[in-house]
Amino acid sequence: MDANTRKAGILLPVFSLPGEYGIGCFSEEAYRFVDFLVEARQSFWQILPLGPTGFGDSPYQTFSSFAGNPYMIDFKELIKEGLLSEKECGDLKSTSLDAVDYERLGKYHKKTLRKAFKRFDGMESAEMKAFLSENTYWLDGYAFFMALKGLFEGKSHNLWPEEIKIRNEEGLLKYKKDLKEECDYYRFEQFVFDRQWRKLKNYANKKGISIIGDIPIYVAADSADVWSWPELFELDDNGNPARVAGCPPDGFSPKGQLWGNPLYRWDKHKQSGFIWWKERMRKCEKLYDVIRIDHFRGFDEYYAVSANAQDAVDGKWEKGPGMALFEALKDVPGDKGIIAEDLGFVTDSVRKLVHDTGFPNMKIMEFAFYDDPDGTLNLSITEGKINKISISGNEKTKEYVIERNIMTEPGSVYNENQMKQDLVRLYSTQAFKDVNRTIEPTEDDPDKFDVTIELKEQRTASVSVGGGLDSATGVFGSVGISDNNFRGLNQRVSLTGMVGSGVLMSDSSIKDHMNYQAELSFFEQHFLNADNSLMSKLYYRELGSYQIPLALERRIGIEGTI
């Protein structure tokens, strides 16, 4: 990826494409989308993770960080190959183009795909053998995991019988023998997924479109990864997560986010030479042209929460692998570009890690070009709680504008990035010419901070005077008074008046009369404290009539728009 060339693209998950059989997949609609990108002069198609989704159907909670989602297999292609008939696919016909019915997919998709597997005679083909050889590291374990999951009625692996839950050698051999055909089905499933995806990706690449893929930083607790390599994760004696991932409280979630993914034992990863990560990256090198690493911040420091916690308030930051991981990944051959997703709570050490790796990072348009020349928003505080927030300024302004734009609350964990966003929102109200913020530790507790926000309001009222000449109003003069922050509540009020000498054109049917007009308008951006706006207008007009000879027109009216 040439970092010096400016390019654009579109993010569209594969499952969001129109799909005849219940979900977006590698069908002709995907190829048409590639053609659309070419016509729109785009260079990238960014997608979400392609893994097989588990409970909740989130692409960030999958049964494997290596496998592909069989829901994305194009059944029309299998019909062309003679492995399925249109009638056999009938149960999956979409009832809606606006949403995916995952319950329906779960009921019929695998059942239909098994019919194709029964007719498939290529398990011993050279193409299949090459695929199995390329994916030795993870495929057998994944196929076995999914076969066991089917045997035990979809239960999480920590609820399986003890002999297989703890991977007892005798138990493994017994179940592998009994589930051989079932394991072959899941190998077939992945073979078809891989073949169809590579065909679509090659088509996109030939058209000049590169695929941006996505690596979630964490894996699901109920996954082949955790069951196959339990030593790489923080688990208790029963195979349950001891601590889980999340993020601390912020303005969007006052109790933080509890993701539930098991945390890595980074010491074990390092001892192994980061082999699991290397294999994962090798797989992504084959799937994508550019790789977006999700939650890059977690490789510097990650937020750890007790698995028994009900929220993420009492989590703690732990040190991640840092550059050691990315030095190890240099051993993975390939020239694919990597993007570091470094959004959220970002510290100086995260910025340094992004810089040291050389990876391009991400910006959100709303905050990307915010100018902070004096550095007042960039503080070195990385942890601690807000004790109190003091705000100076007009009381009415504080009551309205601030309560809508300051999300940080006393008692919450300090979040520098969120505080910056709070201040950006204050600037965007255009009610202030300056916003300054200071933060100091409290006298009683150095881990608690007092925040002071000083607001310097700018003049929002204005007076305008004007005049002119036209054939209907004659010589006229106007005066207007407006306030863009009326009563400090971010409301707009204006009063305008106009007086004219009367018509100038020679028309005896129009009464020559002084013209008067007055108008009072009011704009409320957040009407009834909701996402509605109100525009209202009250006016009076008196002028010579064009409708009734030698008469006057007087109009009094009120208008309102929500």
Side-chain angles (χ1 to χ4, degrees):
M1 184 174 66
D2 184 1
N4 296 316
T5 302
R6 186 173 183 176
K7 295 181 179 180
I10 293 176
L11 168 61
L12 178 73
V14 174
F15 56 75
S16 293
L17 289 163
E20 184 175 346
Y21 295 112
I23 191 171
C25 62
F26 307 144
S27 61
E28 61 185 53
E29 286 81 7
Y31 289 81
R32 287 210 299 268
F33 181 68
V34 170
D35 294 339
F36 162 76
L37 291 174
V38 174
E39 292 173 10
R41 299 171 65 190
Q42 301 297 293
S43 301
F44 294 112
W45 178 7
Q46 183 177 351
I47 59 177
L48 295 188
L50 292 174
T53 53
F55 179 75
D57 299 295
S58 167
Y60 293 92
Q61 293 276 3
T62 63
F63 289 133
S64 170
S65 58
F66 294 87
N69 191 341
Y71 286 164
M72 295 178 187
I73 292 173
D74 178 23
F75 278 10
K76 275 194 170 181
E77 188 71 20
L78 298 182
I79 292 172
K80 291 178 184 177
E81 294 173 7
L83 295 177
L84 288 174
S85 68
E86 289 192 20
K87 184 179 179 181
E88 288 173 324
C89 300
D91 289 332
L92 284 165
K93 282 280 187 179
S94 295
T95 57
S96 170
L97 293 178
D98 299 325
V100 177
D101 187 346
Y102 281 103
E103 184 177 356
R104 186 182 184 88
L105 283 170
K107 186 176 181 180
Y108 294 112
H109 194 280
K110 187 175 294 184
K111 178 182 175 182
T112 306
L113 195 55
R114 284 184 185 279
K115 295 176 182 178
F117 169 63
K118 292 292 185 182
R119 299 187 180 108
F120 181 68
D121 60 2
M123 291 302 292
E124 299 299 325
S125 67
E127 186 182 7
M128 173 62 84
K129 288 180 178 179
F131 171 73
L132 297 177
S133 176
E134 286 178 9
N135 296 279
T136 302
Y137 180 77
W138 64 272
L139 182 56
D140 286 347
Y142 168 73
F144 191 26
F145 172 84
M146 293 303 293
L148 286 165
K149 197 165 187 63
L151 179 66
F152 299 126
E153 300 177 333
K155 292 178 182 177
S156 177
H157 64 85
N158 59 341
L159 300 176
W160 293 351
E162 194 71 16
E163 60 179 341
I164 196 69
K165 179 174 72 173
I166 63 172
R167 300 180 62 84
N168 176 278
E169 193 64 34
E170 291 183 8
L172 291 175
L173 291 173
K174 173 182 176 295
Y175 282 104
K176 277 184 179 178
K177 183 179 179 180
D178 294 342
L179 296 172
K180 181 182 182 305
E181 184 176 347
E182 190 70 1
C183 290
D184 278 345
Y185 164 75
Y186 285 103
R187 294 185 183 100
F188 161 78
E189 198 179 70
Q190 291 304 304
F191 171 75
V192 175
F193 172 94
D194 185 78
R195 183 169 63 178
Q196 290 193 3
W197 170 245
R198 289 195 191 205
K199 181 180 176 182
L200 174 60
K201 180 180 177 296
N202 289 339
Y203 180 84
N205 291 164
K206 288 178 181 178
K207 294 275 189 172
I209 302 299
S210 297
I211 306 294
I212 300 179
D214 196 328
I215 303 182
I217 182 173
Y218 294 117
V219 303
D222 185 21
S223 67
D225 302 278
V226 175
W227 182 72
S228 299
W229 299 284
E231 70 279 4
L232 299 180
F233 301 90
E234 286 193 22
L235 306 177
D236 62 20
D237 294 338
N238 295 315
N240 300 312
R243 296 191 301 171
V244 296
C247 68
D250 58 23
F252 302 100
S253 52
K255 292 188 177 182
Q257 297 178 32
L258 198 60
W259 298 338
N261 308 79
L263 296 171
Y264 296 112
R265 293 189 60 181
W266 285 115
D267 57 333
K268 295 295 184 181
H269 282 272
K270 188 173 183 180
Q271 288 174 16
S272 71
F274 297 102
I275 182 64
W276 183 84
W277 278 98
K278 289 179 180 178
E279 291 296 333
R280 195 177 179 193
M281 189 61 72
R282 284 191 182 96
K283 181 64 176 176
C284 289
E285 286 271 346
K286 296 173 183 176
L287 290 173
Y288 313 123
D289 301 303
V290 181
I291 303 167
R292 170 192 177 272
I293 300 181
D294 176 57
H295 196 59
F296 190 84
R297 187 252 184 281
F299 296 108
D300 174 60
E301 288 182 317
Y302 58 92
Y303 196 67
V305 187
S306 169
N308 298 321
Q310 299 301 308
D311 55 45
V313 171
D314 294 322
K316 59 183 294 189
W317 290 104
E318 300 278 7
K319 198 64 183 172
M323 273 302 296
L325 170 62
F326 299 102
E327 289 292 344
L329 291 180
K330 290 180 180 179
D331 296 339
V332 179
D335 58 353
K336 305 297 169 112
I338 292 178
I339 299 172
E341 186 272 284
D342 62 339
L343 305 176
F345 181 32
V346 178
T347 63
D348 289 340
S349 58
V350 177
R351 297 185 188 98
K352 184 177 186 304
L353 181 60
V354 173
H355 177 270
D356 291 346
T357 60
F359 300 154
N361 57 342
M362 299 182 69
K363 300 292 183 186
I364 296 296
M365 188 68 72
E366 183 179 0
F367 307 115
F369 308 108
Y370 178 68
D371 189 17
D372 180 28
D374 59 1
T376 56
L377 302 183
N378 297 319
L379 303 178
S380 59
I381 305 298
T382 59
E383 251 185 90
K385 289 191 175 182
I386 301 296
N387 180 55
K388 68 176 181 179
I389 300 176
S390 304
I391 303 175
S392 67
N394 180 283
E395 288 300 318
K396 290 179 179 178
T397 302
K398 287 197 289 186
E399 290 174 8
Y400 188 83
V401 176
I402 294 172
E403 75 176 24
R404 290 181 177 279
N405 295 284
I406 296 293
M407 303 300 179
T408 306
E409 297 179 350
S412 62
V413 175
Y414 177 80
N415 184 322
E416 178 183 340
N417 205 50
Q418 180 197 323
M419 182 64 78
K420 178 183 286 190
Q421 293 175 16
D422 286 346
L423 300 190
V424 170
R425 279 189 289 267
L426 284 178
Y427 269 117
S428 68
T429 65
Q430 301 182 1
F432 312 103
K433 63 181 178 182
D434 200 5
V435 179
N436 294 316
R437 187 269 315 264
T438 59
I439 181 167
E440 296 179 351
T442 62
E443 294 182 3
D444 300 333
D445 188 344
D447 290 328
K448 291 185 177 180
F449 301 90
D450 292 338
V451 177
T452 302
I453 299 176
E454 181 185 1
L455 305 173
K456 295 181 180 179
E457 298 179 29
Q458 58 186 0
R459 188 183 67 179
T460 58
S462 61
V463 177
S464 60
V465 178
L469 178 70
D470 70 28
S471 59
T473 311
V475 179
F476 67 90
S478 66
V479 61
I481 302 174
S482 63
D483 188 342
N484 291 326
N485 188 26
F486 181 59
R487 299 186 301 136
L489 302 183
N490 206 27
Q491 300 165 334
R492 280 205 305 272
V493 175
S494 65
L495 175 64
T496 59
M498 186 182 74
V499 177
S501 63
V503 296
L504 294 181
M505 60 185 179
S506 178
D507 188 340
S508 59
S509 68
I510 300 175
K511 186 164 185 174
D512 189 1
H513 177 76
M514 291 283 286
N515 291 344
Y516 307 97
Q517 296 188 48
E519 181 179 291
L520 175 66
S521 65
F522 173 80
F523 176 74
E524 166 65 85
Q525 186 173 1
H526 297 283
F527 182 56
L528 296 178
N529 290 323
D531 293 330
N532 306 311
S533 60
L534 170 68
M535 168 65 81
S536 58
K537 187 184 296 183
L538 177 66
Y539 59 85
Y540 171 80
R541 295 169 187 156
E542 181 177 309
L543 60 157
S545 176
Y546 285 85
Q547 307 297 325
I548 304 174
L550 302 178
L552 295 175
E553 282 191 18
R554 288 191 178 92
R555 298 181 186 176
I556 300 176
I558 184 169
E559 296 178 9
T561 304
I562 296 180

